[in-house]
Amino acid sequence: MGTLPEPFAGWFAGRGWAPRPHQTAMVRAAAGGESALLVAPTGGGKTLAGFLPSLIGLHSKPVEGLHTLYISPLKALAVDIARNLTAPVAEMGLNLRIETRTGDTPQNRRARQREAPPQILLTTPESLALLLTNEDAPTLFAGLGAVVVDEVHALAGTKRGDQLALGMARLASLAPQARRVGLSATVAHPDPLRAYLSPTGKPADVRLVLGEGGAEPVLDLLLPDGRLPWGGHMGIASMPEVYRRIKEAGVTIVFVNTRAQSELCFQALWRLNDDNMPIALHHGSLTVEQRRKVEAAMAAGKLRAVVATASLDLGIDWGAVDQVVQVGAPKGVSRLLQRIGRANHRMDEPSRAVLVPANRFEVIECTAARQAVAAHELDGDPPRPGGLDVLCQHILACAVAGPFLPDELFEEVTRAAPYAGLARRDFDDALRFVEDGGYALRAYERFRRLFRDADGRVHVRNKNVARQLRMNLGTIVETPLLKVRLRGGPVLGEVEE
């Protein structure tokens, strides 16, 4: 397929664009029923390439019910993609619904989505895991045509990635016809990622599509006018220079490495803000309303700067951002490239970023990171085998969804790449641990979560076990938090440090 059908070809032409080769390659792969991993630079239309086959398919053969499931590592990214996808869908006159489902989604909307699902649903690994625990999951996912995993490099090899791989294995049982799509701009080990995406765990079953290279990023190193300390990692001493950079640019994202650092840097910038520039703060401990307000203001071009943690460093597409400032060592070349890509989100023009070491030792780290970016070197290890703790949680989730036979579940689990080498003995031990606590805890009633019927099927013991599982499902470790409330006013967020 060299050209796109109408109205897609007309939509591209109306903007003076032409489909990029990797976008048409993804359409051809989907036409052949192939799964694919797309590795393309930031600003190259990677997200559109992932959705384009689904949009074309839904236009040619409209369906009711869920067709495409998009999975994002960040709630903010799912919301941003939904916003950016809705516009072209409306402009082309496509009659379909696009909705998000994350931990921020109200309960009434979640219930409506189960009764009348949209054609395209954007979610996270945790929300997918919850959906799969419902008894109506086979009906919800029966017509699924595609699973799109964005920023797949950020999930594979982590516990959240293990959870997602097990979820995709369950989806393969419910909807074996669904193809899989992985999207990333920074892939150091493509074959393990292809195996991660594959329904069989074999990389050869996933086509690798490479996008053409974009413009080289421009990275500067910024040091304070005064003395750079030997210790500390907050970077407060450099805030006057950072503030000057913000004044000289149109829109800036100031990335930091921790939530505490984001609060301190934000306060320091506000003390310097004699020009009353609109500067905002974004991190995961803020309330949903606060985060959504900042995201909407950025999308509308109402801010000059936002101080953010990793909550905004993957895939967010705000075209007005023309500069990124990284305060502190970036702690990884791939992570730095992701953050750089938030600036000037166009492939043919260079992204501009400033590295701000917080102490003298970080000068060495920042210099090494600049050299690695210039040499096109990426860091990161190949995905490791899946964790048994994640497997235990998945086993219990499967029982909550409905009775299962251990042999069938073992076969399904080992189709997930992280668990392809799982020994049957280890699976049986994990199942036994979930069932009654295993040899160490079986004397305690509260650890008896499952039971087997006369046919050997495994059932959840009672509704309390199911309720507890749904309330605690996920692999993100919770830390003790304190709510912060404005005196006499609303809750501002939560503090963990």
Side-chain angles (χ1 to χ4, degrees), residues 166 387-399 404 409 419 426-435 449-450 469 473:
L166 292 168
L388 294 179
D389 53 346
V390 182
L391 175 62
C392 288
Q393 186 184 81
H394 180 71
I395 290 172
L396 182 55
C398 289
F404 65 82
L409 184 60
Y419 297 92
D426 291 335
F427 173 83
D428 289 339
D429 287 345
L431 173 57
R432 182 63 186 273
F433 177 78
V434 179
E435 189 173 358
R449 302 182 179 94
L450 307 176
L469 179 278
L473 191 61

Side-chain angles (χ1 to χ4, degrees), residues 77-406:
L77 177 55
V79 173
D80 183 67
I81 295 299
R83 179 171 52 239
N84 293 331
L85 192 60
T86 300
V89 164
E91 291 163 2
M92 286 185 276
L94 304 180
N95 184 23
L96 56 89
R97 287 164 50 212
I98 301 170
E99 296 185 11
T100 60
R101 182 190 179 97
T102 70
D104 295 342
T105 305
Q107 182 59 40
N108 61 341
R109 191 185 306 169
R110 296 186 198 182
R112 177 175 55 78
Q113 288 171 346
R114 287 177 60 186
E115 295 174 3
Q119 284 89 350
I120 298 178
L121 182 65
L122 299 93
T123 188
T124 60
E126 291 74 23
S127 290
L128 171 60
L130 277 171
L131 283 171
L132 289 170
T133 65
N134 295 324
E135 294 181 358
D136 60 357
T139 303
L140 175 65
F141 294 109
L144 190 66
V147 179
V148 181
V149 184
D150 206 351
E151 307 296 351
V152 61
H153 70 279
L155 289 168
T158 68
K159 289 192 176 185
R160 295 183 75 205
D162 295 343
Q163 181 185 40
L164 175 57
L166 292 168
M168 290 194 295
R170 172 50 54 102
L171 288 176
S173 297
L174 301 178
Q177 74 282 355
R179 57 188 177 82
R180 298 181 184 180
V181 175
L183 307 176
S184 180
T186 52
V187 173
H189 307 282
D191 281 349
L193 277 189
R194 291 166 68 196
Y196 177 82
L197 288 167
S198 172
T200 63
K202 300 176 181 177
D205 293 332
V206 175
R207 180 192 290 195
L208 178 62
V209 178
L210 299 176
E212 63 270 32
E216 293 293 324
V218 177
L219 277 74
D220 295 330
L221 191 66
L222 180 64
L223 300 176
D225 288 340
R227 175 180 175 275
L228 185 65
W230 283 103
H233 62 276
M234 295 298 180
I236 306 301
S238 296
M239 287 304 105
E241 285 74 19
V242 171
Y243 180 75
R244 283 196 287 271
R245 289 284 186 137
I246 293 173
K247 285 181 62 176
E248 294 167 0
V251 180
T252 301
I253 299 181
V254 180
F255 279 114
V256 297
N257 295 329
T258 68
R259 294 175 183 179
Q261 188 181 17
S262 69
E263 295 278 357
L264 292 172
C265 288
F266 176 70
Q267 292 173 18
L269 289 172
W270 262 111
R271 285 193 290 268
L272 296 165
N273 192 13
D274 295 333
D275 301 279
N276 290 319
M277 293 187 294
I279 301 174
L281 175 67
H282 191 287
H283 60 68
S285 289
L286 295 175
T287 62
V288 174
E289 294 75 19
Q290 285 283 91
R291 283 186 273 119
R292 290 284 173 85
K293 184 177 180 181
V294 171
E295 292 161 18
M298 278 294 287
K302 297 179 180 179
L303 296 179
R304 288 291 299 278
V306 58
V307 180
T309 59
S311 60
L312 292 182
D313 69 1
L314 290 173
I316 304 296
D317 181 9
W318 289 325
V321 177
D322 52 14
Q323 174 181 246
V324 162
V325 176
Q326 166 64 45
V327 180
K331 310 303 179 185
V333 180
S334 297
R335 184 183 193 187
L336 175 60
L337 283 172
Q338 288 289 340
R339 292 184 168 186
I340 293 173
R342 300 313 108 219
N344 195 11
H345 207 81
R346 293 174 290 276
M347 190 173 74
D348 301 327
E349 300 178 22
S351 298
R352 301 184 179 276
V354 181
L355 299 180
V356 184
N359 57 57
R360 298 191 185 193
F361 294 105
E362 286 191 348
V363 174
I364 301 173
E365 291 186 57
C366 291
T367 301
R370 292 177 69 193
Q371 293 174 350
V373 169
H376 301 280
E377 296 177 355
L378 297 176
D379 51 7
D381 297 323
R384 49 154 185 76
L388 294 179
D389 53 346
V390 182
L391 175 62
C392 288
Q393 186 184 81
H394 180 71
I395 290 172
L396 182 55
C398 289
V400 169
F404 65 82
L405 289 171

